[in-house]
Amino acid sequence: MSGNIYPKTKTLKADVLTADGGIFYGCFLKGGMVYPALTARHKETDCPEEVSFACYAEKPDKMLLLAADGLYYSKDGSAFYKSDTEFAARSPFLFDKQDGEEEAYLAGDEKLLHIKPSVNSVLPFDCGIYGGVIKNGRLFALDKDDAYKIRWSGGNGGTDWTEGINGAGWARVYPEKGKIINLVVFKQKIAAVCERGIAILSAFGAPENYKLAYIEGVTAEIYKDTAFVADGKLCFYTENGLCFFDGARIKKSCLPLSDEITRPVCAFSFGGKYLLSGYGENLKKHCVIVFDLQNESSYILDEKISAFCMYRQPYCFGSGGSYILEQGGEVCFSSGKTDFGTGKRKFLKSVYIGNSSEAVAEVTNGVKTRIFVGVRGFIRPNMSGEYFKISVKCGGQIRGITAVAEVVDGI
């Protein structure tokens, strides 16, 4: 008998989207489909460099930035003008003037920036507070000299610090939960986010009725300036990852990428989303993780961001300048290692991509890489390897990615 004898093979299929280690840039996975999500669109502006803080004063209609070389302001989010005003702030915060005027204040270390529609001016502000929030016409803030003390202003707003039964006052949290690092208005109360837990200040009616309550459960160390309310939950980032407080108990997030960031820089929330900027440990670069709490998904914005601001739409600022966060940009997916459930060497015959618009696909076996452009539907990589990683970039949805390979069946 003559002729070639070929080893027996079998065909294997794999759902590429669900392989461990998949990364979603500007898109999220739900129900086996990839949907476009937030993307950061670069805005051509004369934005200053090294922005550490940004805010929007609604009444005087001005955006303000604190940069490495000083204070900037803008009336349209495009043109930024450097202010002649000397203003220093380690933990700045904004609050409105309480008399109905179209004015606001930005609190700095020892001064108030009085923001008007026309000219800004500086006022003294030596009441020894920082990190404030407004609730029911009073300013609640942290004491500069006592890290466990919450102070509140009188009923005439953040410039009224006359003490009295119905005037300015203070409360002190138990030291067991650590120093207070942030105050957040949450469910009509004041959440005092401490280094290792949360205290809740009920601030209704006269100050004599204010009271503190403590939430059970000690968390890992909480990072400063990461506490924001999103989708009815108080979100904050700890050494062990993202946590939520729903008003009753603290829970650790189970969403993907919940412990990716190791050095948080800043955070933000809007539209049921919690955004955290910092260094991605596994990605080995700075990025923003978007936790979409309404869709129970998470994904990456591939930008190094140092400040966020809501100005008619969400803005962010970073090493590339100014960006607008917009829904529905380019979808970019990079799979984890797809090995079809076996460590054997196999032959990748085809990949089906359920895209409606043309895509760019990249396939690698860890040694060789092949790039396919103008893809609609099937590609045929015809590559061998122990595993494969598949990346797809396109506009619009992706209705699944399926790979087919052959592997020797038997000895």
Side-chain angles (χ1 to χ4, degrees):
M1 182 180 293
S2 62
N4 297 326
I5 300 175
Y6 296 98
K8 183 181 179 182
T9 63
K10 65 179 178 180
T11 300
L12 302 175
K13 290 185 178 181
D15 182 350
V16 177
L17 290 176
T18 59
D20 290 342
I23 301 175
F24 297 83
Y25 292 94
C27 58
F28 65 90
L29 177 67
K30 186 174 183 180
M33 294 180 59
V34 178
Y35 295 90
L38 282 183
T39 54
R41 178 173 63 84
H42 188 259
K43 190 172 175 62
E44 295 297 331
T45 67
D46 53 355
C47 176
E49 298 180 355
E50 298 182 50
V51 175
S52 59
F53 173 80
C55 68
Y56 171 57
E58 183 177 1
K59 286 185 176 181
D61 191 27
K62 286 185 180 180
M63 182 190 289
L64 295 104
L65 308 181
L66 287 179
D69 62 341
L71 176 70
Y72 288 77
Y73 67 93
S74 174
K75 290 287 288 183
D76 60 4
S78 294
F80 290 89
Y81 304 95
K82 192 173 188 302
S83 174
D84 295 331
T85 303
E86 294 291 331
F87 185 79
R90 287 167 292 180
S91 297
F93 63 93
L94 184 76
F95 62 96
D96 291 335
K97 196 173 182 182
Q98 294 298 302
D99 57 7
E101 296 292 329
E102 298 295 302
E103 302 172 12
Y105 296 108
L106 181 64
D109 293 339
E110 295 180 351
K111 295 179 180 179
L112 281 180
L113 181 68
H114 189 186
I115 310 161
K116 303 177 183 178
S118 54
V119 180
N120 301 331
S121 59
V122 172
L123 304 173
F125 191 62
D126 55 359
C127 51
I129 62 167
Y130 69 99
V133 295
I134 286 284
K135 182 183 180 297
N136 296 346
R138 293 180 187 263
L139 175 61
F140 294 79
L142 304 178
D143 190 282
K144 284 185 176 180
D145 299 319
D146 188 339
Y148 305 96
K149 183 184 286 188
I150 304 170
R151 293 176 56 189
W152 54 81
S153 71
N156 293 320
T159 57
D160 174 12
W161 290 94
T162 303
E163 293 194 2
I165 294 178
N166 291 313
W170 58 272
R172 206 166 183 272
V173 302
Y174 293 144
E176 286 79 358
K177 292 195 178 293
K179 299 175 182 177
I180 308 171
I181 54 176
N182 288 114
L183 297 180
V184 181
V185 178
F186 177 61
K187 295 185 181 293
Q188 300 302 311
K189 299 179 181 179
I190 306 293
V193 181
C194 305
E195 293 172 315
R196 296 182 298 277
I198 296 174
I200 299 295
L201 177 66
S202 296
F204 298 99
E208 62 184 340
N209 297 320
Y210 293 0
K211 60 181 180 180
L212 276 166
Y214 299 89
I215 306 305
E216 292 185 5
V218 176
T219 70
E221 183 177 349
I222 300 173
Y223 290 103
K224 188 177 184 292
D225 297 332
T226 65
F228 282 82
V229 177
D231 194 35
K233 304 177 184 67
L234 178 61
C235 310
F236 54 95
Y237 202 74
T238 77
E239 283 186 329
N240 290 339
L242 179 64
C243 291
F244 305 126
F245 174 56
D246 61 6
R249 59 185 62 84
I250 296 171
K251 297 179 181 178
K252 191 176 185 308
S253 169
C254 296
L255 294 175
L257 304 172
S258 287
D259 55 1
E260 170 66 21
I261 298 296
T262 55
R263 299 195 293 273
V265 174
C266 57
F268 191 58
S269 67
F270 75 97
K273 302 173 182 67
Y274 173 79
L275 290 74
L276 182 70
S277 176
Y279 185 77
E281 183 66 22
N282 296 307
L283 296 170
K284 305 300 180 187
K285 61 181 177 181
H286 287 270
C287 63
V288 175
I289 309 295
V290 180
F291 297 95
D292 187 335
L293 306 187
Q294 294 178 341
N295 286 303
E296 298 183 341
S297 61
S298 52
Y299 52 92
I300 296 168
L301 294 181
D302 197 11
E303 303 292 346
K304 185 178 181 180
I305 299 301
S306 57
F308 293 96
C309 176
M310 180 60 74
Y311 174 71
R312 298 187 176 91
Q313 55 188 325
Y315 275 65
C316 54
F317 304 89
S319 56
S322 171
Y323 302 84
I324 296 176
L325 297 178
E326 295 180 326
Q327 191 76 20
E330 189 176 60
V331 166
C332 185
F333 166 74
S334 180
S335 79
K337 292 181 178 181
T338 301
D339 63 3
F340 296 87
T342 173
K344 292 181 179 180
R345 196 166 186 83
K346 68 273 305 175
F347 183 75
L348 182 62
K349 295 179 63 177
S350 67
V351 178
Y352 172 74
I353 303 169
N355 58 306
S356 55
S357 60
E358 287 191 352
V360 175
E362 181 179 297
V363 182
T364 181
N365 60 8
V367 179
K368 294 182 179 180
T369 299
R370 292 182 179 173
I371 298 175
F372 304 81
V373 297
V375 175
R376 285 183 182 272
F378 282 97
I379 59 173
R380 303 191 183 281
N382 295 327
M383 298 172 67
S384 62
E386 294 180 0
Y387 70 87
F388 306 94
K389 295 183 73 172
I390 300 166
S391 299
V392 177
K393 185 182 294 185
C394 69
Q397 301 174 0
I398 299 177
R399 296 179 298 277
I401 302 177
T402 305
V404 177
E406 282 188 348
V407 63
V408 174
D409 187 16
I411 300 175

